Structures are given as structure tokens and as C-alpha cells.
């Protein structure tokens, strides 16, 4: 996980409220590539969780944020 964050594949990773799971924000990858990476996350790899991948098409964002997608 740390490597993917350092490589800016994931911009953030963390827990959801009330122990409802976790979230990752991935950029620069298509859905198949994200799926392959998520399958390597220990919780998914050992079938502790069932990942759900949701794509977002941003229409508005804070200035400078778009440069993270380049």
C-alpha cells in the first residue's frame, strides 16, 4: 500500500466511519487495473472483505487537484 501511495497510484487510503470498511482513491488507472491492484490488498487477498470499485467522473474540483491526475 505504501509503495502505491508513494508512486501516486493511490492518493489516499483510510478507514470508513463506524468500521464499515476502507476506501482508496486511485488515479491514472482504468477499472481493470484498479481491480488488479485491489486484489493485492491483504484484506481482499485473504477474502476478509469483498471490494466494491466505484468510478467517479469529476466535474468540479479544487484548483491544483487536476494536476494529480496528469
Amino acid at each position: 500500500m505504501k509503495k502505491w501511495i508513494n508512486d501516486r497510484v493511490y492518493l489516499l487510503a483510510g478507514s470508513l466511519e463506524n468500521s464499515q470498511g476502507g476506501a482508496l482513491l486511485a488515479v491514472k488507472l482504468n477499472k481493470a487495473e484498479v481491480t488488479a491492484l485491489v486484489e493485492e490488498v491483504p484484506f481482499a487477498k485473504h477474502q476478509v472483505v469483498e471490494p466494491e470499485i466505484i468510478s467517479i467522473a469529476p466535474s468540479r474540483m479544487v484548483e491544483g487537484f487536476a494536476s494529480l491526475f496528469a
Side-chain angles (χ1 to χ4, degrees):
M1 184 74 62
K2 186 175 182 177
K3 177 191 179 330
W4 295 324
I5 289 175
N6 288 341
D7 290 346
R8 293 188 167 210
V9 173
Y10 293 141
L11 298 185
L12 63 84
S15 299
L16 299 177
E17 292 181 342
N18 302 320
S19 301
Q20 293 184 9
L24 302 167
L25 177 59
V27 295
K28 303 180 187 179
L29 304 173
N30 63 41
K31 195 166 185 173
E33 292 168 322
V34 171
T35 299
L37 284 178
V38 168
E39 288 175 356
E40 294 303 313
V41 173
F43 291 114
K45 193 173 191 174
H46 299 290
Q47 300 176 334
V48 174
V49 298
E50 184 177 331
E52 178 182 6
I53 298 170
I54 301 169
S55 297
I56 301 171
S59 58
R60 297 182 186 169
M61 62 188 78
V62 68
E63 187 176 325
F65 191 68
S67 66
L68 298 172
F69 296 87

